[in-house]
Amino acid sequence: MKTTEMKLDVRELLRLLNLRLERLNPFVLMVAGLACLVVLAVLLFAGGASQQQNEATLNRAKQSMGQVTGMVQNLRRVLEDQQVQELAVIAVDDPAKLANLQQYISGRIPELLSAELYGTELDNLRAADLEPFGYALLDMLLVAQEAGIAPAQIHGTGANAYLTMAARVGEEASPAGYLLIRVNPAALTSAFQQSLPEAGAFALDQYNGQARPVVLSPLAVPPKASERLTWLRIPSALFRIGVVQSVGASISMGILRPMFFIVGLLLLGLGAMLKLHPSRPPEAATEDPEHLEPLAESTASTDATFTDEPESSRPAGQGANDGFGVIDLPDLGFNLEKMAVPHKKALPPVELVESIFRAYDIRGIVGETLDADVARQVGQCVGSIAVDKDAGPVVVARDGRESGSDLVAGMIEGIASTGCDVIDIGAVPTGVLYFAAYELGSGTGVMVTGSHNPPDYNGFKILIGGVTWAGEQITDMFTRIQSGNLRVGKGKISEQDMLDSYRERISGDIQLKKPLKVVADCGNGIGGICAVDVLRDIGADVMALFDEVDGTFPNHHPDPSEPENLQDLIEAVRLMDADIGVAFDGDADRLGVVTSTGEIIYSDRLMMLFVEDILSRVPGSTIIYDVKCTGHLHYVIEEAGGKPMMYKTGHSLIKNKMKEVNAPFAGEMSGHFFFKERWYGFDCGIYSAARLLEILAADERDAREVLNSLPNSVSTPELKVQMEEGENHAFVAELQQKARFADARITTIDGLRADFVDGWGLVRASNTTPILVCRFDAEDETALQRIKEVFKVQMLAINDQLELPF
């Protein structure tokens, strides 16, 4: 390396430095440094307060932005909804059907003013044909032609104003036309004002980037000279929200902050150095040879040589300030690192509690009884059991809930920490998890799902070695975790996609003999990723409803056993003139069905179809059904050549009973169907729908005739009685002891069921929520009312405070 030498008298340099330093007063320097830091603190406080105010105001504006964005995205979802698209295509060909389209859209957009369809020849349209605001509307249609959808915007003012949006109808390559909706602008203003801290806090305007903005809602007070407007643009719209922000915060927090900090620190450091190491007069320095001798020795002469050698090449501990004293920053009374790093408040961990270990699975509320650490502990137990039984690897999956990814991460970490291998197959329906558990290993898997429960619930369905964990197997897991009897190791973690294999397995076995037109309501559950594809694979003409996976379930609760959750499906089947409608719950392991006339076909009647088909191939087999099913099912099974067996409600209990008695099929009133014949013996709502369509397509009659021909009775859906946690089981136990029903056959395998000659009634305790579940079924309405009244008397005799829904 080339060096550049420069001769300098070191003693002269030191003398000059001391001459300058002795004139400086350490006390004055330190006071000046402290003054700079005080000014900095004032700037920080003023700027910080101003910045905090800015952030708080901006956050409130973002809430308002979220409300408006949600409203706009709802308009977009409706326009892009497959059912809307198909109805629009029909209406383009037959304008008389436009009323059906308008009716359907108004059910999802209550503020709808009109829905209009335009053909593909937009070049032939004139602005005069589209009055009022013809040029703006024509521009929207042309944007929709190019981009598929035109951004939402307001046309007109006052009473003549309307909110509008346009979308292409049909495929991009061959569009059928264009749909334009006009909506009451109150939908926009109410969304904007919903979270306003006060009227006029934010501005709302419409701006296309070219013309002057149109103010839709002005600020109450215009910005001051020290303030500016920050604009938040609404996606898929020309709207934006303006929020006032203080400019002073950015100035005080800008160049002044580092300047005062650096100057203050330098002055403090220099003052402290002079205080600790006072400078000597030049004469004293020259008279003390011992003071200068080491320096002369270190340079080998009175000359110093400076090179362009990088500092990194110097010996450790040697630097430019060696010999002059080093100021240690902690000596200044504060820690710069602690000042610079904001402290993030840690959320308290959730304690593992026994109450989440339930009869069929493990289930809790996220943030209250369930979090990633709880999942990790459960995973340690699952992995330990799998290793004990040589039943690995463990396949892990989750549904579409927002908490799923964190819980899966905890679960995988726990399982792998025991030495058990893990295969992560991602976000898929429960049926795909079970399928993968058998195909990739020995039938061991964990499904992270809240099933049909509200969005804040989640849990774990556990399958080990082909056995679904239930009852004491579940509760013993808590004991094992508490005792610390857990294995330790390092398992291998891998990922695998199983959706294609799952689809091929079903379509390779099932193909419809005639096409059926089906509406499939996925309820925004995880079934939306593949249910429609599977049914199309087997030959059905399927229209998807709510197939966008959304763990908040914005359209309706994902429980097809509740009639109110099937109303959208009923309406869609009617409008689309479909043969049948099917619905799935949150993790798509349950099935709901409606006919073309809107009749709900409850699961016990669907079982009649399934058992007749299955018993034609495996006669004499045992068929299992739960205590909530109709009495007609018993006789249908016998007439088909099977052996009926009533058993407890619960997917895990029934699956294990199936293995015990080698049953080819079982079913639950809640919509779980378990096929062992031609399948694996687990419940999958999507596979069940495929088997149902196969049966209907093989019959010469239309689907409605086939379903309506099934034995029927007058019945209630599941009626629920709310109770406190734990009270429902105690109540049922007392009812079993004290209730007296004349001329009835009593079954207490799960709750209390009384079978009369003309009907039956049931009261049982739910194992997943603190409720009583009641159901009644009879030959006619008179018998149904009599049975309900008999049960009401018996139940109120035990607790006269019950609020009974019958």
Side-chain angles (χ1 to χ4, degrees), residues 375-376 379 396 407-417 422-424 493:
R376 180 188 58 79
V396 177
L407 297 183
V408 160
M411 175 63 64
I412 290 175
E413 179 188 346
I415 295 170
S417 72
V422 188
I423 302 175
D424 180 7
I493 301 172

Side-chain angles (χ1 to χ4, degrees), residues 163 288 352 376 581 591 711 735 777:
L163 170 64
D288 187 1
L352 182 75
R376 180 188 58 79
L591 173 67
L735 184 68
D777 183 285

Side-chain angles (χ1 to χ4, degrees), residues 187-399:
L188 172 65
T189 54
S190 61
F192 171 64
Q193 294 168 357
Q194 189 169 343
S195 57
L196 283 184
E198 63 272 336
F202 311 129
L204 174 68
D205 74 10
Q206 178 169 293
Y207 182 53
N208 62 8
Q210 298 173 353
R212 178 179 296 180
V214 177
V215 177
L216 303 174
S217 181
L219 291 170
V221 179
K224 302 173 185 176
S226 60
E227 296 174 332
R228 69 172 185 271
L229 268 179
T230 296
W231 292 99
L232 306 176
R233 185 167 291 281
I234 307 300
S236 302
L238 298 184
F239 310 130
R240 59 181 189 170
I241 292 175
V243 54
V244 175
Q245 299 279 272
S246 171
V247 181
S250 60
I251 295 175
S252 64
M253 302 302 285
I255 192 171
L256 293 180
R257 181 177 66 176
M259 184 184 72
F260 276 98
F261 178 74
I262 292 170
V263 172
L265 200 60
L266 285 174
L267 291 173
L268 266 177
L270 184 59
M273 183 183 71
L274 292 176
K275 185 73 175 174
L276 293 172
H277 302 278
S279 58
R280 297 171 180 265
E283 296 78 6
T286 57
E287 290 173 1
D288 187 1
E290 293 180 2
H291 179 75
L292 293 177
E293 191 61 29
L295 181 63
E297 291 176 356
S298 68
T299 60
S301 72
T302 58
D303 296 329
T305 299
F306 297 89
T307 75
D308 59 355
E309 180 182 11
E311 280 201 34
S312 59
S313 66
R314 292 175 181 159
Q318 182 176 329
N321 290 329
D322 289 352
F324 289 93
V326 177
I327 302 302
D328 191 4
L329 289 180
D331 294 341
L332 299 178
F334 57 86
N335 188 317
L336 289 177
E337 291 185 0
K338 288 185 178 179
M339 289 180 65
V341 179
H343 292 280
K344 183 178 180 181
K345 186 178 180 181
L347 295 174
V350 171
E351 181 183 357
L352 182 75
V353 293
E354 190 172 8
S355 62
I356 67 174
F357 294 80
R358 305 187 177 226
Y360 316 140
D361 46 38
I362 298 172
R363 191 172 301 172
I365 299 176
V366 178
E368 294 182 15
T369 57
L370 204 60
D371 67 359
D373 187 62
V374 170
R376 180 188 58 79
Q377 295 178 67
V378 173
Q380 286 180 295
C381 190
V382 170
S384 299
I385 296 170
V387 172
D388 291 348
K389 296 182 176 295
D390 193 23
V394 180
V395 182
V396 177
R398 65 178 178 90
D399 67 14

Side-chain angles (χ1 to χ4, degrees), residues 670-681:
S670 60
H672 289 276
F673 302 106
F674 314 85
F675 292 87
K676 179 65 175 174
E677 190 251 356
R678 297 165 54 192
W679 194 239
Y680 301 82

Side-chain angles (χ1 to χ4, degrees), residues 678-759:
R678 297 165 54 192
W679 194 239
Y680 301 82
F682 59 76
D683 43 334
C684 174
I686 300 170
Y687 178 76
S688 300
R691 288 288 290 258
L692 173 63
L693 297 183
E694 179 187 42
I695 295 170
L696 296 175
D699 200 302
E700 294 180 354
R701 298 170 294 173
D702 65 35
R704 181 176 53 82
E705 287 181 89
V706 176
L707 294 170
N708 287 342
S709 68
L710 299 171
N712 201 3
S713 52
V714 181
S715 63
T716 68
E718 292 186 11
L719 305 172
K720 298 173 182 178
V721 182
Q722 296 294 329
M723 305 194 85
E724 295 296 324
E725 189 71 46
E727 285 185 354
N728 53 345
H729 290 280
F731 178 88
V732 168
E734 189 173 355
L735 184 68
Q736 288 174 334
Q737 291 179 353
K738 297 181 178 179
R740 296 294 179 267
F741 297 93
D743 304 321
R745 183 178 71 254
I746 304 299
T747 303
T748 56
I749 190 173
D750 184 6
L752 186 146
R753 172 166 168 156
D755 280 85
F756 303 89
V757 231
D758 52 358

Side-chain angles (χ1 to χ4, degrees), residues 124-146:
N124 296 330
L125 276 178
R126 298 179 305 163
D129 299 329
L130 301 173
E131 289 294 349
F133 316 112
Y135 285 103
L137 291 175
L138 182 56
D139 180 67
M140 290 186 71
L141 293 173
L142 292 172
V143 171
Q145 182 184 49
E146 181 69 23

